[in-house]
Structure formats: C-alpha cells, structure tokens
Amino acid sequence: MALRSLQRLFKTKFGKTPERVYLDIRLAQARLLVQRSDKSIRDIAAATGFASPSQPDGTVHAPIRSIAPERTGEAGSWFGI
C-alpha cells in the first residue's frame, strides 16, 4: 500500500491525519505535565517535542495558554505569548 493511500485510509477511519493524531498526543502529554508537575514551561515544551522557540504553524501557542494561563508568563518569548 502506498503511503498516501495509507494516510487517506487513516483519515477516513479516524477523522484526523496521522500527523494530527501525533500532535494531539504530544499536546495531551504537555497538558498533563503542566497540570501535574512543577517543571518549567520550557522544560515541558522540550520534553514533549516542542523544542523550537517558534512553531511556524502556531499549534502550540493556544493550547499552552489554555492549559495553564497562570503559568504562561514564565514561557516568555518561548511560545511567543
């Protein structure tokens, strides 16, 4: 089976692309760490694969703000907020 065919089948079956499912898993882990640990936002970002200071697609900014708005101040320019 071709990769593109597999991707289409996956999206048809689960309603999301494999990339989106992977991103959702990483964001869920980040939420869990923000809520249950005393790690810094920077450490949590790095631990969950958001090691780049700028995410060009903007996928991290809103989720991190909504996870713990009281802690986003410590993120500073890391998340561009």
Side-chain angles (χ1 to χ4, degrees):
M1 177 180 278
L3 177 61
R4 184 65 187 129
S5 296
L6 181 60
Q7 289 171 328
R8 278 193 302 268
L9 181 62
F10 189 97
K11 185 170 183 177
T12 300
K13 191 80 170 165
F14 298 105
K16 297 179 182 179
T17 64
E19 294 82 7
R20 184 63 208 201
V21 170
Y22 180 58
L23 176 63
D24 289 348
I25 291 168
R26 290 169 50 212
L27 289 171
Q29 183 64 27
R31 278 188 204 93
L32 184 67
L33 289 172
V34 166
Q35 294 167 351
R36 297 185 181 177
S37 78
D38 58 352
K39 291 184 178 187
S40 71
I41 296 293
R42 182 180 292 260
D43 289 344
I44 291 170
T48 54
F50 299 108
S52 172
S54 61
Q55 293 288 330
D57 61 0
T59 53
V60 176
H61 302 216
I64 293 295
R65 279 195 297 264
S66 66
I67 291 169
E70 70 280 359
R71 290 186 61 186
T72 55
E74 77 182 69
S77 62
W78 182 258
F79 289 110
I81 49 177

